[in-house]
Amino acid sequence: MPGGSPTSSPTASARTHYDTPTTDAFYYQIWGGEDIHTGIYTSLTDTIADASQRTVVKMAEKLAASGLSLDSTKRVLDQGAGYGGAARWLAKAYGCKVTCLNLSSVQNERNKAMTKEAKLDGLVEVVEGVFEDLPREVKDGGPYDVVWSQDSFLHSADREKIVEEIDGVLVPKGGRVIFTDLMASKDAFAKQPELMEAMMSRLDLSSLGSVESYKMAFERRGFQDLGYWDGVENFSIHYGKVGDELERKEGEMQGVDKAVIEKQAVGMKNWIKAAEEGCINWGIFCFGK
């Protein structure tokens, strides 16, 4: 999930946040074990893991609808890859090569181990690094047909730089950028300033993007807007399920800092309330060259 600039305060906080044993236990044991992003729900009985994978499938379908068909000839850069669930699914489903870029060394080690166990290490590689200054290893692995990301760009303090770096590694013609992110709705900070600040404090975020700001950032780099799918109704369902799962499993989690777990629980409630107050947007962007 994380991958912002290593020198920026939000990203330094992200590295610390995701690399602590308690936080890793929270995401690995509570969030489903494969993915760390918002799921898409067809029923309230859906599991977190099934809903999270449904988001991956939906994004692949949107790529196909935009005119790009994934296959063994395609290269994908997954920015903020977390435990690599999406990368492994893409590699297994389509045979494409996927480079996982991620800031958290703890998540990266889990990703490598799970990818090797799945016998997909020939198709999926894991690189530690940041969005705003892509490592040489990532640049040399390009150009990429697809740049993919899920709920990760919120950790960056410079989203314009993210777009610039993406533009530098995407194939010059026919490439696609597809991503989800947690964003602020219009006037969210004016309507609910205390709630928004409390919500952002869970991850020590300095700002949030918006649907409009992302569209303008990509437009300035010459990208074509290929459609935004609004899935915000899934947000409160997903975070509600995460909160319920945390409450159910809290006593089973070994070697964790109870204070951190309590902070996560309060954070979940703040994000849910922000969504219910209409302060949050979440959906799938697709841009092309």
Side-chain angles (χ1 to χ4, degrees):
M1 188 175 190
S5 167
T7 59
S8 70
S9 177
T11 304
S13 297
R15 187 193 296 273
T16 301
H17 172 76
Y18 286 105
D19 276 351
T20 60
T22 296
T23 302
D24 180 59
F26 166 68
Y27 285 110
Y28 188 68
Q29 296 179 39
I30 303 299
W31 214 278
E34 285 278 333
D35 303 296
I36 314 175
H37 58 250
T38 306
I40 295 174
Y41 292 81
T42 58
S43 167
L44 293 178
T45 61
D46 289 344
T47 66
I48 293 170
D50 287 346
S52 296
Q53 187 174 92
R54 191 173 291 117
T55 304
V56 176
V57 175
K58 179 77 171 180
M59 291 171 69
E61 291 172 348
K62 281 189 67 65
L63 281 176
S66 78
L68 187 142
S69 297
L70 289 168
D71 57 39
S72 61
T73 68
K74 300 298 192 296
R75 298 189 65 88
V76 179
L77 172 61
D78 184 357
Q79 295 196 326
Y83 297 131
R88 285 187 294 277
W89 187 88
L90 291 168
K92 186 175 182 179
Y94 299 103
C96 53
K97 293 185 176 180
V98 186
T99 297
C100 295
L101 175 70
N102 202 57
L103 180 66
S104 168
S105 59
V106 172
Q107 291 178 358
N108 289 343
E109 288 307 309
R110 283 196 185 274
N111 186 352
K112 290 175 184 177
M114 294 168 74
T115 298
K116 185 175 182 179
E117 184 178 355
K119 295 181 172 52
L120 291 169
D121 46 324
L123 291 175
V124 178
E125 66 172 341
V126 183
V127 179
E128 189 166 322
V130 299
F131 305 139
E132 301 93 338
D133 187 15
L134 295 178
R136 175 52 55 190
E137 189 175 352
V138 169
K139 292 180 178 179
D140 289 346
Y144 298 92
D145 301 281
V146 176
V147 174
W148 175 294
S149 184
Q150 293 178 264
D151 298 1
S152 295
F153 293 158
L154 75 163
H155 290 291
S156 175
D158 190 353
R159 297 179 187 94
E160 293 276 355
K161 183 62 174 174
I162 291 177
V163 180
E164 179 183 336
E165 289 288 281
I166 288 173
D167 197 15
V169 297
L170 195 68
V171 294
K173 185 176 181 180
R176 296 288 186 268
V177 182
I178 191 158
F179 68 96
T180 66
D181 205 18
L182 313 181
M183 300 166 286
S185 62
K186 187 177 181 181
D187 300 327
F189 288 91
K191 291 188 298 184
Q192 294 284 350
E194 293 182 3
L195 174 60
M196 293 300 289
E197 290 300 327
M199 181 196 73
M200 291 171 63
S201 70
R202 184 177 77 90
L203 298 174
D204 294 322
L205 303 177
S206 64
S207 67
L208 285 173
S210 67
V211 174
E212 296 77 15
S213 66
Y214 276 123
K215 288 187 175 185
M216 287 190 293
F218 278 93
E219 181 181 341
R220 281 192 286 268
R221 298 295 303 187
F223 284 86
Q224 180 184 358
D225 183 357
L226 299 178
Y228 173 72
W229 179 82
D230 186 353
V232 69
E233 70 278 2
N234 295 281
F235 185 88
S236 57
I237 298 172
H238 186 85
Y239 274 64
K241 281 185 169 286
V242 170
D244 291 344
E245 189 74 357
L246 178 60
E247 184 176 336
R248 187 177 72 84
K249 286 188 174 180
E250 184 177 356
E252 304 172 14
M253 299 175 72
Q254 301 297 317
V256 299
D257 185 333
K258 296 296 184 182
V260 174
I261 293 298
E262 289 173 6
K263 183 181 178 181
Q264 294 286 7
V266 171
M268 293 292 108
K269 291 176 182 177
N270 285 331
W271 281 82
I272 292 168
K273 186 175 180 181
E276 291 173 344
E277 293 289 334
C279 295
I280 294 295
N281 280 326
W282 179 83
I284 303 172
F285 292 93
C286 187
F287 296 97
K289 277 286 191 173

